[in-house]
Amino acid sequence: MQDTTRRAFLQRASLAGLGASSLRPTPARNIRKQATTPRARAVIHLHLEGGLSHIDTFDPKPDAPVEVRGPFATVRSKLDGEPLGQLLQRTAEIADKLTLVRSFTHTEADHDRGAHSVLTGYQPSPAIVYPALGAVVAQQLGARNDLPPFLVVPGPGSRFFGSGYLSAAFAPFSVGGDPAAQAFKVRDLEAPPDVDAARQARRDAMLAALDAGFAALGDADAVHAGAAFRRQTGALLQSPAARAAFDVGAESAAQKKRYGGSRLGMSCLLARRLAAAGARYVAVSTGGFDHHQRIGNDLPPRMAEVDQAFAALIADLDSQGLLQETLVLLTSEFGRTPKINADAGRDHWPRVFSVVLAGGGIKRGVVHGRSTATGAEPEVDPVRPADLAATVFTLLGIDPDTRLLAGGGRPIGLVRDGRVLTEILG
């Protein structure tokens, strides 16, 4: 094998690592083990990149001046009649199944720093990149049913969905492609037709010998992550049930229509298939919410897809009896400014915004926290990214007080100064 080919393979293994199997090839190790009873078996995390306007969606201010309330009316929801923005009409119909947090807050108005805060539960540091919640889940719980424990659909999504200081073995598997495309197929889920079992065994033996030589030179994460990648890949390739979970084409035409048939809709439908089949943490990432201009024109088409896909996902999980064991999150890196700007848009605003949770041990039909009359600050019960992280880990049966020994023997907690939101637990 040429050196360039080997480097390409190791790079692919470290960037697209399928997650942990029984092998734990990371310099980080637990100081305390998980000690809580899980309420959720899986997480589906819908992340809207760019900064969703809370005032125009989940926290409308119909009695505020027009420059605050913006161009959209409201719709009464099944959440005790609580108003939602008019762009969330389908979500309003299933709002009695949701917990809506209207007091989420952090201090980072930059896209990358805001995304890091929300997706990892940690404020950014110049010294270290923290792992995404899904990467921690992969490291703590490992693979199940021969599926990658952490996936991004379609991927790759924010770079802060990565494994941070953990091994690349816990990075997400990026599905790739467009699940809405008629010819959609996840690459490399079947062995090449010209590679029989004997030939594959010879390849595996050669790679094992090479890895042994590299590993002897030191604690090379790329080597160990590559071994984990191959082990998980082998399990996936040999499991028809695991491969079938990726086949969104097996869903009926009516089901696809229910989710909207869009890229986002089919990504949510695929996420439901993967979570139901055994994946631990499935992130669905979509962009287009950085509306500094023309928010009245540009937000409606984006929210039409979100509204239909999100409402269909919640209703579908509930109808199949899966919502109780599947935690669903909807987040963005921050909200938007309370006042419409001179370009008829809204700018970055992390001081207060909304996140949504459902299923997996979360109460139904709850509004937690409140923003001020102009949606500028938390007024009641502020919730921070560390609180969300502590709650997610607890619902999955992971003790948020667990600490890891990262590279150099440095102890790092899964969460820093976060509290479990017991008020919203069922």
Side-chain angles (χ1 to χ4, degrees):
M1 181 181 292
Q2 294 182 352
D3 184 56
T4 55
T5 304
R6 176 167 179 75
R7 283 201 303 270
F9 171 80
L10 290 175
Q11 183 181 37
R12 179 181 175 216
S14 64
L15 292 177
L18 277 167
S21 63
S22 58
L23 181 65
R24 300 284 181 151
T26 173
R29 61 186 186 276
N30 294 343
I31 297 177
R32 286 179 236 150
K33 293 289 186 180
Q34 63 188 49
T36 59
T37 301
R39 303 190 193 190
R41 294 183 69 253
V43 175
I44 297 176
H45 184 169
L46 175 55
H47 184 66
L48 309 180
E49 296 185 0
L52 177 68
S53 170
H54 55 296
I55 293 176
D56 295 301
T57 55
F58 290 102
D59 192 11
K61 304 295 180 182
D63 299 324
V66 65
E67 65 269 20
V68 172
R69 70 174 183 264
F72 305 109
T74 62
V75 58
R76 287 175 62 85
S77 76
K78 286 188 176 180
L79 203 165
D80 291 333
E82 280 286 330
L84 296 179
Q86 73 176 81
L87 304 179
L88 290 169
Q89 295 193 27
R90 288 184 171 91
T91 301
E93 288 298 309
I94 53 90
D96 56 336
K97 308 179 193 302
L98 309 176
T99 281
L100 175 55
V101 177
R102 283 177 167 165
S103 54
F104 204 73
T105 181
H106 62 70
T107 59
E108 304 296 342
D110 171 78
H111 285 293
D112 276 355
R113 293 179 66 85
H116 184 285
S117 298
V118 173
L119 298 178
T120 71
Y122 267 90
Q123 188 172 1
S125 164
I128 192 169
V129 176
Y130 292 91
L133 304 186
V136 173
V137 171
Q139 192 271 345
Q140 289 285 296
L141 300 182
R144 179 174 55 197
N145 295 352
D146 298 319
L147 280 166
F150 179 25
L151 303 97
V152 178
V153 182
S158 169
R159 65 190 180 97
F160 297 110
F161 276 126
S163 57
Y165 65 76
L166 293 177
S167 167
F170 306 116
F173 172 63
S174 180
V175 171
D178 181 358
Q182 205 161 29
F184 171 71
K185 188 176 182 181
V186 181
R187 291 179 55 189
D188 303 327
L189 284 189
E190 296 179 1
D194 60 337
V195 179
D196 58 20
R199 187 176 181 186
Q200 186 62 51
R202 290 195 300 272
R203 289 182 170 188
D204 291 342
M206 180 176 66
L207 282 171
L210 286 169
D211 283 346
F214 278 97
L217 299 177
D219 189 10
D221 178 66
V223 174
H224 295 300
F229 175 82
R230 291 194 301 278
R231 184 173 296 191
Q232 184 64 60
T233 300
L236 180 58
L237 290 175
Q238 294 171 30
S239 173
R243 295 200 310 275
F246 291 88
D247 186 11
V248 73
E251 299 286 338
S252 69
Q255 186 74 302
K256 294 175 184 177
K257 184 177 180 181
R258 184 184 189 188
Y259 277 78
S262 64
R263 179 187 177 100
L264 175 61
M266 293 302 94
S267 295
C268 287
L269 181 54
L270 178 54
R272 190 268 291 158
R273 291 179 61 86
L274 291 166
R280 303 276 190 186
Y281 201 108
V282 187
V284 177
S285 184
T286 186
F289 295 91
D290 193 19
H291 294 120
H292 291 278
Q293 302 173 326
R294 293 167 41 92
I295 195 168
N297 298 91
D298 297 342
L299 183 58
R302 300 299 299 121
M303 285 310 299
E305 292 185 3
V306 173
D307 184 38
Q308 184 161 3
F310 181 66
L313 174 63
I314 298 296
D316 190 10
L317 287 167
D318 199 34
S319 68
Q320 296 194 39
L322 296 173
L323 186 58
Q324 185 174 353
E325 62 186 35
T326 307
L327 175 63
V328 181
L329 307 175
L330 187 150
T331 64
S332 194
E333 64 258 44
F334 41 59
R336 313 300 295 189
T337 47
K339 289 187 178 181
I340 297 289
N341 64 27
D343 294 317
R346 298 185 192 266
D347 301 314
H348 302 177
W349 194 258
R351 293 185 191 176
V352 70
F353 57 110
S354 299
V355 301
V356 185
L357 302 91
I362 294 293
K363 287 180 179 177
R364 292 182 175 222
V366 172
V367 174
H368 180 74
R370 184 172 67 243
S371 65
T372 56
T374 59
E377 305 281 348
E379 187 171 74
V380 176
D381 296 329
V383 175
R384 295 173 177 82
D387 303 329
L388 179 65
T391 303
V392 170
F393 292 147
T394 297
L395 289 170
L396 288 167
I398 300 170
D399 186 347
D401 289 331
T402 297
R403 289 181 295 160
L404 301 176
L405 285 180
R410 177 182 177 186
I412 300 179
L414 299 189
V415 177
R416 180 186 296 157
D417 299 328
R419 72 176 189 88
V420 178
L421 301 170
T422 55
E423 308 94 313
I424 68 173
L425 301 187

